Amino acid sequence: MNKSVFAAVILSVATSAVFAAEVPASLSDKNCKAEYPKASLLNEEQGDVSMAFLVGADGNVMDSKVEKSSGYKNLDKAALKALSACKFKPGTKDGAVAQTWTKVDYSWKL
């Protein structure tokens, strides 16, 4: 096998590996914010919540869950509710738009 044919085979394998990967959805609205819950403001609650969203091929959230709590149920619920209503850029599987899970962290700071 000459060197140029061998290089083309390796390049072909590497290219197909890239397309086989899953690319998760991403938040397309950078201004998407949750409203601070009144009770949390009064109690001076702060924290970071990690969430996962199942985003459909149309960019809408189909399912969501808290993966790591902020330590405050009101903050977790408010972040999950607000971000579930946001628009996402759909992810891809094998190079085609598809439903994918994506992770989003949200920080509550006073």
Side-chain angles (χ1 to χ4, degrees), residues 6-7 12 15 30-31 36 46 51-52 60 63 71 75 81 83-85 89 91 93 101 108-109:
F6 181 69
S12 173
T15 304
K30 301 297 180 202
N31 296 319
Y36 227 108
Q46 300 183 83
M51 301 161 286
N60 292 315
D63 194 11
L75 295 181
K81 180 180 177 185
L83 273 79
S84 289
K89 178 182 175 201
K93 286 183 185 170
W101 281 96
W108 294 98
K109 304 232 185 291

Side-chain angles (χ1 to χ4, degrees), residues 4 34 50 58 65 77-79 84 87-89 92 99-100 102 104 107:
S4 62
S50 296
D58 61 357
K65 60 186 174 187
K77 285 174 43 180
S84 289
K87 192 70 172 174
F88 284 76
K89 178 182 175 201
T92 59
Q99 115 180 350
T100 58
T102 191
V104 177
S107 294

